[in-house]
């Protein structure tokens, strides 16, 4: 038997065992079957640290979109589908990393809401990689891997990149397009 034939036979056997194993596992799933026991006892199952507890998520709603307006006691968000949601806010509404009064129009947010009230607001983090060009003080442009150009606000970064540096940036989108960089990492070329 040639080496090619031996390898081809091994690959066919491995595929057959894998497909057969999936079929057996799928057939065994059901109420109280092994899959249910696995989910209850496995450290990565529902309700365990690091994983969403689906029972708790049913009590609230996540609203993802851009801030349309922030007024005293009211936050309006334009969702990604274009619809608007108005939520009430009060002293117990939390903004991760800041104060609600600091929110501005066009900032991308994720809001945990229940019964029309904003419980917690988080600014969405932008993460991009690319080559820096047009560095001018606290401003620069990032040419992303896909060729798109993104303006950067480098005012919060102590070490400024140079033209041609390959970087990974993390920050918040301030005006719908500019990333206010809070973390910049040089990448190897």
């Amino acid at each position: 038997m040639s080496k090619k034939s031996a390898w081809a036979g091994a690959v066919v056997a491995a595929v057959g065992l894998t497909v057969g194993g999936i079929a057996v596992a799928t057939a065994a799933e059901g109420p109280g079957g092994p899959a249910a026991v696995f989910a209850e006892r496995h450290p990565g199952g529902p309700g365990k640290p690091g994983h969403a507890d689906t029972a708790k998520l049913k009590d609230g709603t996540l609203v993802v979109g851009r801030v349309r307006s922030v007024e005293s006691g009211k936050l309006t968000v334009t969702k990604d589908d274009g619809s608007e949601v108005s939520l009430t806010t009060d002293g117990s509404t939390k903004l991760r990393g800041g104060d609600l009064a600091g929110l501005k129009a066009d900032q991308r947010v994720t809001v945990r809401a229940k019964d029309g009230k904003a419980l917690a607001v988080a600014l969405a983090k932008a993460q991009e990689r690319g080559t820096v060009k047009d560095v001018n003080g606290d401003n620069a442009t990032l040419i992303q891997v896909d060729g798109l150009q993104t303006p950067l606000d480098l005012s919060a970064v102590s070490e400024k990149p140079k033209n041609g540096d390959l970087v990974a940036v993390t920050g918040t989108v301030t005006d719908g397009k500019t990333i206010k960089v809070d973390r910049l990492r040089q990448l190897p070329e």
Side-chain angles (χ1 to χ4, degrees):
M1 182 184 302
S2 72
K3 281 187 175 182
K4 285 184 180 179
S5 297
W7 275 105
V11 168
V12 169
V15 169
L17 289 173
T18 302
V19 171
I22 291 171
V24 169
T26 303
E29 290 181 11
V37 172
F38 177 80
E40 291 172 9
R41 295 187 185 158
H42 189 269
K48 302 297 179 188
H51 294 280
D53 187 342
T54 53
K56 290 181 184 173
L57 289 178
K58 290 179 183 173
D59 294 338
T61 302
L62 289 178
V63 177
V64 179
R66 297 194 180 278
V67 174
R68 171 139 174 111
S69 64
V70 181
E71 302 167 16
S72 179
K74 184 178 173 186
L75 170 64
T76 304
V77 176
T78 303
K79 293 176 21 177
D80 290 341
D81 66 4
S83 64
E84 286 190 4
V85 176
S86 292
L87 302 165
T88 60
T89 61
D90 60 22
S92 68
T93 304
K94 296 181 172 92
L95 173 65
R96 184 179 65 184
D99 181 19
L100 281 177
L103 280 177
K104 294 181 176 58
D106 283 333
Q107 286 183 309
R108 190 155 178 76
V109 292
T110 300
V111 182
R112 176 99 193 266
K114 182 176 180 182
D115 299 326
K117 180 183 182 300
L119 304 174
V121 180
L123 291 173
K125 289 286 187 178
Q127 299 177 350
E128 295 295 342
R129 293 176 180 211
T131 304
V132 176
K133 78 169 198 172
D134 300 334
V135 177
N136 184 9
D138 286 338
N139 299 311
T141 302
L142 182 72
I143 307 297
Q144 297 173 26
V145 177
D146 59 7
L148 294 176
Q149 297 187 21
T150 303
L152 300 177
D153 175 353
L154 302 168
S155 60
V157 178
S158 58
E159 265 189 60
K160 309 290 189 235
K162 298 181 298 288
N163 284 328
D165 283 353
L166 184 61
V167 299
V169 297
T170 303
T172 54
V173 178
T174 55
D175 59 2
K177 58 185 175 197
T178 302
I179 298 176
K180 181 172 174 113
V181 178
D182 56 31
R183 197 171 113 217
L184 182 135
R185 184 172 49 98
Q186 296 281 338
L187 299 174
E189 293 184 26

